[in-house]
């Protein structure tokens, strides 16, 4: 992909992760169910933010995490996502750019404030997440920059964002521009509940626009309304060029090019925080594709990245993934 400015451009929710440690009493005081994620409104986000202790604030969101992982491998990346012209929008912009990722989406001057996820970590490592989706869900076709999409080798779409009609139209626009520019379109299904709400539109997107689909076992069986993983995998292969399906500790299955490849999960002495495992698996796999590696090698990079991120708190790698992969003989 030497003729492209970017190896991968991601399109997804632009969320500021605010991570703070707390004790059990804080959760009880604020009536928070330990270990769960819930959606909250702007007012509650502001109240909880004021009550939290010292925090780490950084760019987040599923595909944003994948793009950060790709950058850690050494890929040239861009990101497209909607923030507001406010304090948290500035934090998102600064943080993602600090990773060497191009981010030039114009902040919204009106409407909802920037999305944020307030993450409370108790001493046992459990994460209790309170998410305000804010400006990110108002993503629309006008937020798509045709020059950015045209400069990508792969355009990676986040299923979480595929909720409102305007966002669906933006995905179709991005896919059309990508295909016209000779880029591959990759899609992560993100969440079985999101798939269940918009199954017909997701099926159409997979069949008509996506070349590569990432999904876990629950997401892919939900998409095709079947109980059998094998049946769902076969259906996915009929609709797209490549299906990349993860099965947690059972590893991953890649179907495409007339072959099926199964790769074991990378061993982890202790799972500290499973958040971001799928995002970083996608990062490793996509990086392999940008280097023209075969599916098995791509999957091994994905497994390596997923194992690294679940070994600590947070959804971003703590060591350079390229260096880690080289130490394992997976990259030169």
């Amino acid at each position: 992909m030497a003729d492209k400015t970017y190896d991968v451009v991601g399109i997804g929710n632009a969320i500021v992760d605010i991570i703070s440690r707390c004790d059990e009493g804080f959760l009880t005081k604020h009536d928070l169910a330990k270990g769960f994620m819930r959606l909250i409104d702007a007012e509650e986000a502001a109240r909880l933010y004021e009550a939290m202790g010292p925090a780490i604030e950084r760019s987040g969101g599923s595909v944003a995490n994948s793009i950060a992982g790709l950058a850690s491998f050494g890929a040239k990346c861009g990101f497209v996502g909607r923030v507001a012209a406010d304090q948290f929008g500035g934090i998102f912009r600064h943080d993602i750019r600090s990773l060497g990722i191009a981010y030039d989406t114009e902040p919204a001057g009106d409407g909802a404030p920037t999305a944020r996820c307030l993450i409370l970590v108790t001493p046992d490592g459990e994460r209790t997440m309170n998410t305000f989706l804010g400006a990110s869900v108002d993503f629309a076709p006008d937020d798509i920059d045709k020059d950015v999409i045209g400069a990508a080798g792969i355009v990676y779409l986040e299923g979480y964002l595929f909720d409102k009609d305007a966002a669906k139209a933006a995905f179709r626009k991005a896919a059309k521009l990508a295909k016209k520019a000779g880029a591959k379109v990759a899609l992560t299904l993100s969440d079985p509940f999101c798939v269940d709400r918009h199954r017909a539109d997701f099926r159409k997107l997979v069949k008509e626009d996506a070349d590569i689909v990432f999904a876990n076992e629950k997401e892919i069986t939900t998409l095709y309304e079947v109980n059998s993983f094998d049946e769902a995998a076969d259906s996915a292969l009929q609709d797209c060029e490549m299906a990349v399906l993860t099965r947690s500790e059972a590893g991953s299955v890649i179907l495409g090019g007339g072959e099926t490849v199964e790769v074991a999960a990378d061993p982890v002495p202790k799972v500290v925080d499973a958040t971001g495992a799928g995002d970083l698996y996608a990062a490793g796999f996509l990086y392999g594709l940008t280097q023209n590696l075969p599916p098995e090698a791509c999957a091994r990079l994905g497994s390596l990245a997923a194992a690294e991120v679940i070994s600590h708190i947070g959804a971003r790698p703590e060591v350079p993934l390229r260096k880690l992969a080289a130490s394992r003989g997976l990259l030169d």
Side-chain angles (χ1 to χ4, degrees):
M1 301 182 183
D3 59 331
K4 294 286 189 176
T5 302
Y6 307 114
D7 295 312
V8 182
V9 167
I11 301 175
N13 284 317
I15 301 174
V16 174
D17 284 343
I18 303 168
I19 306 170
S20 178
R21 295 190 177 275
C22 74
D23 57 24
E24 304 278 348
F26 185 91
L27 300 183
T28 301
K29 178 179 179 180
H30 294 277
D31 197 24
L32 303 176
K34 179 180 171 181
F36 286 85
M37 191 282 282
R38 65 187 184 124
L39 295 178
I40 60 176
D41 60 22
E43 289 74 20
E44 186 168 3
R47 285 197 302 271
L48 193 56
Y49 181 70
E50 287 298 321
M52 291 169 67
I56 297 170
E57 299 176 349
R58 62 190 180 199
S59 58
S62 175
V63 161
N65 289 336
S66 297
I67 294 298
L70 276 152
S72 185
F73 274 110
K76 299 173 294 182
C77 296
F79 180 75
V80 181
R82 184 181 177 89
V83 298
D86 57 16
Q87 172 194 354
F88 289 107
I91 290 170
F92 184 93
R93 181 179 301 275
H94 178 272
D95 187 69
I96 200 165
R97 285 176 168 176
S98 74
L99 302 175
I101 297 164
Y103 176 65
D104 297 307
T105 308
E106 286 295 321
D110 54 14
T114 298
R116 68 212 69 158
C117 182
L118 287 72
I119 303 166
L120 297 159
V121 184
T122 41
D124 58 1
E126 282 278 4
R127 289 158 59 94
T128 302
M129 297 187 286
N130 306 271
T131 304
F132 166 59
L133 292 173
S136 64
V137 298
D138 292 323
F139 193 80
D142 286 347
D143 293 311
I144 298 293
D145 185 326
K146 68 176 182 180
D147 293 331
V148 172
I149 302 302
I154 299 172
V155 175
Y156 186 38
L157 308 175
E158 179 180 325
Y160 279 125
L161 190 58
F162 194 71
D163 212 18
K164 291 189 176 182
D165 289 342
K168 293 174 184 178
F171 274 24
R172 290 190 290 270
K173 177 181 177 179
K176 183 178 179 180
L177 290 169
K179 295 294 182 67
K180 185 177 180 180
K184 294 289 187 182
V185 176
L187 167 71
T188 172
L189 296 186
S190 294
D191 182 90
F193 298 107
C194 189
V195 171
D196 196 43
R197 287 197 305 274
H198 306 284
R199 183 178 291 104
D201 286 331
F202 265 113
R203 289 278 294 270
K204 184 177 181 181
L205 185 67
V206 169
K207 191 175 183 66
E208 296 181 0
D209 295 313
D211 301 298
I212 306 154
V213 172
F214 289 88
N216 63 27
E217 189 166 359
K218 181 62 175 176
E219 290 158 3
I220 202 68
T221 54
T222 298
L223 181 67
Y224 292 104
E225 297 182 278
V226 295
N227 294 319
S228 162
F229 173 80
D230 291 337
E231 188 178 354
D234 288 343
S235 296
L237 189 56
Q238 293 175 30
D239 284 348
C240 62
E241 181 181 314
M242 179 181 289
V244 184
L245 309 176
T246 56
R247 309 187 79 179
S248 299
E249 67 274 5
S252 56
V253 179
I254 299 90
L255 303 97
E259 62 177 345
T260 299
V261 175
E262 297 188 33
V263 172
D266 220 48
V268 180
K270 180 182 179 181
V271 177
V272 175
D273 179 6
T275 308
D279 302 338
L280 270 294
Y281 178 94
F285 196 95
L286 288 170
Y287 182 72
L289 289 182
T290 70
Q291 303 305 299
N292 299 312
L293 299 179
E296 182 176 357
C298 294
R300 293 195 184 283
L301 289 173
S303 295
L304 176 80
E308 192 284 333
V309 83
I310 66 176
S311 67
H312 57 77
I313 295 289
R316 297 285 176 84
E318 290 190 344
V319 300
L321 292 177
R322 183 173 185 83
K323 184 176 181 180
L324 181 61
S327 73
R328 302 283 186 86
L330 299 179
L331 292 173
D332 295 331

